[in-house]
Amino acid sequence: MTGTLPAGPTVVDDGIGEDLSADLAAASLVLARRFAAGATLWCVAPSWEPHAQHVAVEFVHPVIVGTKALPAVALTGPDPVAEVRVSVRPGDVVLAVAGAQDAAVAAVMRRAPAWGVTTLWIGSGARPEPGSSDHVLWLDDPDPRLPATGGFVLLYHLLWELTHVCFEHPGLLAEPAQECSDEVCITCSDEGRLGEVVAPGAGGMARVRTAEGIEAVATTLVEPVTAGELLVVHAGMAISRIDEEGQA
């Protein structure tokens, strides 16, 4: 069995329709695969910290006999970007519970590719920009009271349950093979990667964090650079900056 989530609970009520059900299934499958590969789930909710703590507890302390205790941590300090930056490892998952207007969460999501992590954003009302997160689980109801009514809790309870449904089918947990038929893949070799400056250096070089780790990158084309700045890296050289709006 590969690639398809088995039948699970039918999700029809509380504003969770067919599209959101599909988003939940896809996010759960990816989350199960990351956990199977050794990932930790890092949870942030700057405006609603109890949600971050609740998500972490759901995964660490399962209530159903026989289900796995999965590594999850709530980060609840004043600077989500700094806390996530020092906590995550490549392959981990960051889950945020926040509105689309939350600048700190948007900054975390924007940096995630440089840290090599998968992102999942739960929220309501106006949606984040397309591509802001790998997975978006969203309730379109604009009611500002929604975060306190249980809608978010339902979403991450279902996420937890469906993740464990995947664990019941080990054939689902292997990552699909990435195939490239050419000896040198032109598309892959020409792809820019996101990097975050760790420390600027002398001679037009800087230490930059990418999904592959810390790299020495030539910054001649974009100098001066500062720690925390996002760059597009190609062939060992920074070719452009990414601003706080995610634009090159």
Side-chain angles (χ1 to χ4, degrees):
M1 181 181 296
T2 58
T4 303
L5 188 67
T10 300
V11 183
V12 294
D13 297 322
D14 298 294
I16 300 182
E18 184 176 347
D19 290 344
L20 183 50
S21 297
D23 293 339
L24 271 163
S28 300
L29 178 57
V30 169
L31 189 52
R33 286 173 171 170
R34 296 295 182 271
F35 277 131
T40 296
L41 175 65
W42 303 92
C43 309
V44 295
S47 298
W48 309 307
E49 288 185 354
H51 281 306
Q53 295 163 337
H54 193 163
V55 174
V57 167
E58 288 296 323
F59 284 89
V60 170
H61 185 64
V63 295
I64 298 176
V65 174
T67 53
K68 294 176 177 287
L70 298 168
V73 180
L75 299 173
T76 57
D79 187 345
V81 173
E83 291 194 16
V84 175
R85 178 187 287 125
V86 300
S87 300
V88 297
R89 303 166 301 164
D92 283 349
V93 180
V94 175
L95 183 152
V97 183
Q101 75 284 355
D102 193 309
V105 166
V108 168
M109 298 296 177
R110 193 158 46 246
R111 286 164 168 74
W115 301 334
V117 301
T118 299
T119 54
L120 200 162
W121 196 339
I122 294 174
S124 63
R127 288 175 174 259
E129 291 294 322
S132 297
S133 178
D134 295 314
H135 298 275
V136 174
L137 303 179
W138 217 257
L139 298 171
D140 292 315
D141 189 337
D143 189 339
R145 299 169 296 177
L146 192 62
T149 63
F152 288 179
V153 177
L154 175 62
L155 281 179
Y156 51 74
H157 276 210
L158 288 169
L159 182 69
W160 171 83
E161 184 174 353
L162 289 171
T163 298
H164 281 287
V165 169
C166 294
F167 275 109
E168 294 172 2
H169 302 269
L172 290 173
L173 301 179
E175 294 283 356
Q178 300 294 322
E179 295 185 1
C180 182
S181 58
D182 297 331
E183 186 175 343
V184 177
C185 177
I186 296 174
T187 300
C188 297
S189 63
D190 195 41
E191 183 177 296
R193 298 173 294 135
L194 191 67
E196 184 183 50
V197 177
V198 175
M205 300 294 293
R207 295 174 65 232
V208 175
R209 181 178 181 180
T210 73
E212 305 300 320
I214 304 298
E215 304 180 24
V217 172
T219 55
T220 308
L221 297 179
V222 296
E223 287 191 330
V225 297
T226 58
E229 197 166 8
L230 292 176
L231 307 173
V232 176
V233 177
H234 171 62
M237 176 173 288
I239 58 175
S240 66
R241 286 188 174 85
I242 301 295
D243 63 22
E244 288 305 311
E245 300 302 318
Q247 302 297 315

PDB file of all heavy atoms in Angstrom, residues 144-163:
ATOM      1  N   PRO A 144     -14.304  36.404  15.033  1.00  0.00           N
ATOM      2  CA  PRO A 144     -13.077  36.482  15.845  1.00  0.00           C
ATOM      3  C   PRO A 144     -13.111  35.619  17.099  1.00  0.00           C
ATOM      4  O   PRO A 144     -12.075  35.384  17.716  1.00  0.00           O
ATOM      5  CB  PRO A 144     -12.986  37.976  16.202  1.00  0.00           C
ATOM      6  CG  PRO A 144     -14.387  38.482  16.091  1.00  0.00           C
ATOM      7  CD  PRO A 144     -15.025  37.689  14.982  1.00  0.00           C
ATOM      8  N   ARG A 145     -14.294  35.127  17.471  1.00  0.00           N
ATOM      9  CA  ARG A 145     -14.398  34.269  18.656  1.00  0.00           C
ATOM     10  C   ARG A 145     -14.058  32.819  18.355  1.00  0.00           C
ATOM     11  O   ARG A 145     -13.954  31.992  19.264  1.00  0.00           O
ATOM     12  CB  ARG A 145     -15.815  34.346  19.225  1.00  0.00           C
ATOM     13  CG  ARG A 145     -16.251  35.730  19.666  1.00  0.00           C
ATOM     14  CD  ARG A 145     -17.727  35.768  19.960  1.00  0.00           C
ATOM     15  NE  ARG A 145     -18.519  35.493  18.757  1.00  0.00           N
ATOM     16  CZ  ARG A 145     -19.851  35.408  18.747  1.00  0.00           C
ATOM     17  NH1 ARG A 145     -20.535  35.571  19.867  1.00  0.00           N
ATOM     18  NH2 ARG A 145     -20.490  35.150  17.617  1.00  0.00           N
ATOM     19  N   LEU A 146     -13.876  32.512  17.080  1.00  0.00           N
ATOM     20  CA  LEU A 146     -13.701  31.118  16.673  1.00  0.00           C
ATOM     21  C   LEU A 146     -12.554  30.397  17.392  1.00  0.00           C
ATOM     22  O   LEU A 146     -12.702  29.231  17.776  1.00  0.00           O
ATOM     23  CB  LEU A 146     -13.510  31.040  15.158  1.00  0.00           C
ATOM     24  CG  LEU A 146     -13.594  29.642  14.545  1.00  0.00           C
ATOM     25  CD1 LEU A 146     -14.970  29.027  14.764  1.00  0.00           C
ATOM     26  CD2 LEU A 146     -13.301  29.698  13.049  1.00  0.00           C
ATOM     27  N   PRO A 147     -11.382  31.042  17.598  1.00  0.00           N
ATOM     28  CA  PRO A 147     -10.295  30.321  18.271  1.00  0.00           C
ATOM     29  C   PRO A 147     -10.663  29.802  19.656  1.00  0.00           C
ATOM     30  O   PRO A 147     -10.026  28.873  20.160  1.00  0.00           O
ATOM     31  CB  PRO A 147      -9.188  31.378  18.356  1.00  0.00           C
ATOM     32  CG  PRO A 147      -9.462  32.292  17.218  1.00  0.00           C
ATOM     33  CD  PRO A 147     -10.949  32.366  17.109  1.00  0.00           C
ATOM     34  N   ALA A 148     -11.688  30.389  20.270  1.00  0.00           N
ATOM     35  CA  ALA A 148     -12.067  29.957  21.610  1.00  0.00           C
ATOM     36  C   ALA A 148     -13.271  29.018  21.624  1.00  0.00           C
ATOM     37  O   ALA A 148     -13.684  28.571  22.694  1.00  0.00           O
ATOM     38  CB  ALA A 148     -12.381  31.186  22.474  1.00  0.00           C
ATOM     39  N   THR A 149     -13.820  28.686  20.450  1.00  0.00           N
ATOM     40  CA  THR A 149     -15.053  27.905  20.425  1.00  0.00           C
ATOM     41  C   THR A 149     -14.851  26.406  20.239  1.00  0.00           C
ATOM     42  O   THR A 149     -15.807  25.654  20.302  1.00  0.00           O
ATOM     43  CB  THR A 149     -15.966  28.402  19.290  1.00  0.00           C
ATOM     44  OG1 THR A 149     -15.304  28.176  18.031  1.00  0.00           O
ATOM     45  CG2 THR A 149     -16.295  29.872  19.444  1.00  0.00           C
ATOM     46  N   GLY A 150     -13.622  25.986  19.978  1.00  0.00           N
ATOM     47  CA  GLY A 150     -13.368  24.561  19.798  1.00  0.00           C
ATOM     48  C   GLY A 150     -13.084  24.148  18.375  1.00  0.00           C
ATOM     49  O   GLY A 150     -12.722  23.002  18.126  1.00  0.00           O
ATOM     50  N   GLY A 151     -13.251  25.072  17.412  1.00  0.00           N
ATOM     51  CA  GLY A 151     -12.993  24.715  16.025  1.00  0.00           C
ATOM     52  C   GLY A 151     -11.558  24.327  15.781  1.00  0.00           C
ATOM     53  O   GLY A 151     -11.270  23.338  15.083  1.00  0.00           O
ATOM     54  N   PHE A 152     -10.615  25.074  16.348  1.00  0.00           N
ATOM     55  CA  PHE A 152      -9.204  24.743  16.195  1.00  0.00           C
ATOM     56  C   PHE A 152      -8.887  23.415  16.882  1.00  0.00           C
ATOM     57  O   PHE A 152      -8.115  22.604  16.365  1.00  0.00           O
ATOM     58  CB  PHE A 152      -8.322  25.834  16.792  1.00  0.00           C
ATOM     59  CG  PHE A 152      -8.282  27.112  16.005  1.00  0.00           C
ATOM     60  CD1 PHE A 152      -7.541  28.192  16.450  1.00  0.00           C
ATOM     61  CD2 PHE A 152      -8.988  27.256  14.820  1.00  0.00           C
ATOM     62  CE1 PHE A 152      -7.500  29.372  15.735  1.00  0.00           C
ATOM     63  CE2 PHE A 152      -8.951  28.432  14.095  1.00  0.00           C
ATOM     64  CZ  PHE A 152      -8.205  29.500  14.555  1.00  0.00           C
ATOM     65  N   VAL A 153      -9.473  23.213  18.056  1.00  0.00           N
ATOM     66  CA  VAL A 153      -9.231  21.968  18.792  1.00  0.00           C
ATOM     67  C   VAL A 153      -9.675  20.776  17.961  1.00  0.00           C
ATOM     68  O   VAL A 153      -8.992  19.753  17.897  1.00  0.00           O
ATOM     69  CB  VAL A 153      -9.948  21.994  20.149  1.00  0.00           C
ATOM     70  CG1 VAL A 153      -9.769  20.668  20.885  1.00  0.00           C
ATOM     71  CG2 VAL A 153      -9.427  23.145  21.015  1.00  0.00           C
ATOM     72  N   LEU A 154     -10.815  20.906  17.305  1.00  0.00           N
ATOM     73  CA  LEU A 154     -11.290  19.822  16.452  1.00  0.00           C
ATOM     74  C   LEU A 154     -10.282  19.536  15.340  1.00  0.00           C
ATOM     75  O   LEU A 154      -9.977  18.376  15.041  1.00  0.00           O
ATOM     76  CB  LEU A 154     -12.647  20.185  15.845  1.00  0.00           C
ATOM     77  CG  LEU A 154     -13.220  19.184  14.833  1.00  0.00           C
ATOM     78  CD1 LEU A 154     -13.470  17.826  15.491  1.00  0.00           C
ATOM     79  CD2 LEU A 154     -14.506  19.734  14.215  1.00  0.00           C
ATOM     80  N   LEU A 155      -9.739  20.585  14.734  1.00  0.00           N
ATOM     81  CA  LEU A 155      -8.784  20.394  13.644  1.00  0.00           C
ATOM     82  C   LEU A 155      -7.563  19.613  14.102  1.00  0.00           C
ATOM     83  O   LEU A 155      -7.146  18.655  13.459  1.00  0.00           O
ATOM     84  CB  LEU A 155      -8.346  21.747  13.076  1.00  0.00           C
ATOM     85  CG  LEU A 155      -9.308  22.451  12.117  1.00  0.00           C
ATOM     86  CD1 LEU A 155      -8.714  23.781  11.670  1.00  0.00           C
ATOM     87  CD2 LEU A 155      -9.625  21.587  10.917  1.00  0.00           C
ATOM     88  N   TYR A 156      -6.953  20.035  15.214  1.00  0.00           N
ATOM     89  CA  TYR A 156      -5.733  19.309  15.574  1.00  0.00           C
ATOM     90  C   TYR A 156      -6.009  17.983  16.254  1.00  0.00           C
ATOM     91  O   TYR A 156      -5.152  17.098  16.250  1.00  0.00           O
ATOM     92  CB  TYR A 156      -4.718  20.174  16.331  1.00  0.00           C
ATOM     93  CG  TYR A 156      -5.158  20.967  17.529  1.00  0.00           C
ATOM     94  CD1 TYR A 156      -5.420  20.371  18.749  1.00  0.00           C
ATOM     95  CD2 TYR A 156      -5.201  22.368  17.466  1.00  0.00           C
ATOM     96  CE1 TYR A 156      -5.751  21.122  19.863  1.00  0.00           C
ATOM     97  CE2 TYR A 156      -5.524  23.131  18.569  1.00  0.00           C
ATOM     98  CZ  TYR A 156      -5.811  22.512  19.772  1.00  0.00           C
ATOM     99  OH  TYR A 156      -6.133  23.261  20.880  1.00  0.00           O
ATOM    100  N   HIS A 157      -7.216  17.767  16.788  1.00  0.00           N
ATOM    101  CA  HIS A 157      -7.562  16.418  17.239  1.00  0.00           C
ATOM    102  C   HIS A 157      -7.672  15.475  16.037  1.00  0.00           C
ATOM    103  O   HIS A 157      -7.210  14.332  16.087  1.00  0.00           O
ATOM    104  CB  HIS A 157      -8.888  16.438  17.990  1.00  0.00           C
ATOM    105  CG  HIS A 157      -8.744  16.799  19.436  1.00  0.00           C
ATOM    106  ND1 HIS A 157      -9.587  16.329  20.415  1.00  0.00           N
ATOM    107  CD2 HIS A 157      -7.830  17.581  20.082  1.00  0.00           C
ATOM    108  CE1 HIS A 157      -9.224  16.807  21.594  1.00  0.00           C
ATOM    109  NE2 HIS A 157      -8.163  17.573  21.414  1.00  0.00           N
ATOM    110  N   LEU A 158      -8.308  15.960  14.974  1.00  0.00           N
ATOM    111  CA  LEU A 158      -8.409  15.144  13.766  1.00  0.00           C
ATOM    112  C   LEU A 158      -7.039  14.905  13.146  1.00  0.00           C
ATOM    113  O   LEU A 158      -6.752  13.818  12.641  1.00  0.00           O
ATOM    114  CB  LEU A 158      -9.343  15.823  12.763  1.00  0.00           C
ATOM    115  CG  LEU A 158     -10.833  15.790  13.118  1.00  0.00           C
ATOM    116  CD1 LEU A 158     -11.608  16.710  12.189  1.00  0.00           C
ATOM    117  CD2 LEU A 158     -11.387  14.367  13.047  1.00  0.00           C
ATOM    118  N   LEU A 159      -6.192  15.920  13.170  1.00  0.00           N
ATOM    119  CA  LEU A 159      -4.830  15.753  12.657  1.00  0.00           C
ATOM    120  C   LEU A 159      -4.106  14.656  13.418  1.00  0.00           C
ATOM    121  O   LEU A 159      -3.432  13.799  12.820  1.00  0.00           O
ATOM    122  CB  LEU A 159      -4.071  17.077  12.784  1.00  0.00           C
ATOM    123  CG  LEU A 159      -2.644  17.096  12.254  1.00  0.00           C
ATOM    124  CD1 LEU A 159      -2.631  16.990  10.739  1.00  0.00           C
ATOM    125  CD2 LEU A 159      -1.929  18.376  12.699  1.00  0.00           C
ATOM    126  N   TRP A 160      -4.228  14.666  14.731  1.00  0.00           N
ATOM    127  CA  TRP A 160      -3.599  13.627  15.560  1.00  0.00           C
ATOM    128  C   TRP A 160      -4.167  12.246  15.221  1.00  0.00           C
ATOM    129  O   TRP A 160      -3.427  11.288  15.021  1.00  0.00           O
ATOM    130  CB  TRP A 160      -3.830  13.935  17.041  1.00  0.00           C
ATOM    131  CG  TRP A 160      -3.409  12.828  17.957  1.00  0.00           C
ATOM    132  CD1 TRP A 160      -2.149  12.576  18.418  1.00  0.00           C
ATOM    133  CD2 TRP A 160      -4.248  11.805  18.501  1.00  0.00           C
ATOM    134  NE1 TRP A 160      -2.146  11.454  19.215  1.00  0.00           N
ATOM    135  CE2 TRP A 160      -3.420  10.966  19.278  1.00  0.00           C
ATOM    136  CE3 TRP A 160      -5.607  11.509  18.415  1.00  0.00           C
ATOM    137  CZ2 TRP A 160      -3.914   9.857  19.961  1.00  0.00           C
ATOM    138  CZ3 TRP A 160      -6.102  10.407  19.087  1.00  0.00           C
ATOM    139  CH2 TRP A 160      -5.257   9.600  19.846  1.00  0.00           C
ATOM    140  N   GLU A 161      -5.503  12.159  15.138  1.00  0.00           N
ATOM    141  CA  GLU A 161      -6.128  10.856  14.893  1.00  0.00           C
ATOM    142  C   GLU A 161      -5.743  10.304  13.529  1.00  0.00           C
ATOM    143  O   GLU A 161      -5.403   9.110  13.392  1.00  0.00           O
ATOM    144  CB  GLU A 161      -7.645  10.989  15.006  1.00  0.00           C
ATOM    145  CG  GLU A 161      -8.371   9.652  14.858  1.00  0.00           C
ATOM    146  CD  GLU A 161      -9.862   9.772  15.104  1.00  0.00           C
ATOM    147  OE1 GLU A 161     -10.324  10.851  15.512  1.00  0.00           O
ATOM    148  OE2 GLU A 161     -10.563   8.770  14.873  1.00  0.00           O
ATOM    149  N   LEU A 162      -5.773  11.148  12.497  1.00  0.00           N
ATOM    150  CA  LEU A 162      -5.451  10.673  11.151  1.00  0.00           C
ATOM    151  C   LEU A 162      -3.968  10.326  11.015  1.00  0.00           C
ATOM    152  O   LEU A 162      -3.602   9.430  10.247  1.00  0.00           O
ATOM    153  CB  LEU A 162      -5.844  11.727  10.123  1.00  0.00           C
ATOM    154  CG  LEU A 162      -7.354  11.908   9.913  1.00  0.00           C
ATOM    155  CD1 LEU A 162      -7.631  13.129   9.048  1.00  0.00           C
ATOM    156  CD2 LEU A 162      -7.973  10.664   9.294  1.00  0.00           C
ATOM    157  N   THR A 163      -3.115  11.020  11.744  1.00  0.00           N
ATOM    158  CA  THR A 163      -1.695  10.653  11.750  1.00  0.00           C
ATOM    159  C   THR A 163      -1.517   9.235  12.265  1.00  0.00           C
ATOM    160  O   THR A 163      -0.742   8.440  11.721  1.00  0.00           O
ATOM    161  CB  THR A 163      -0.888  11.650  12.614  1.00  0.00           C
ATOM    162  OG1 THR A 163      -0.997  12.957  12.040  1.00  0.00           O
ATOM    163  CG2 THR A 163       0.581  11.261  12.686  1.00  0.00           C
TER     164      THR A 163
END
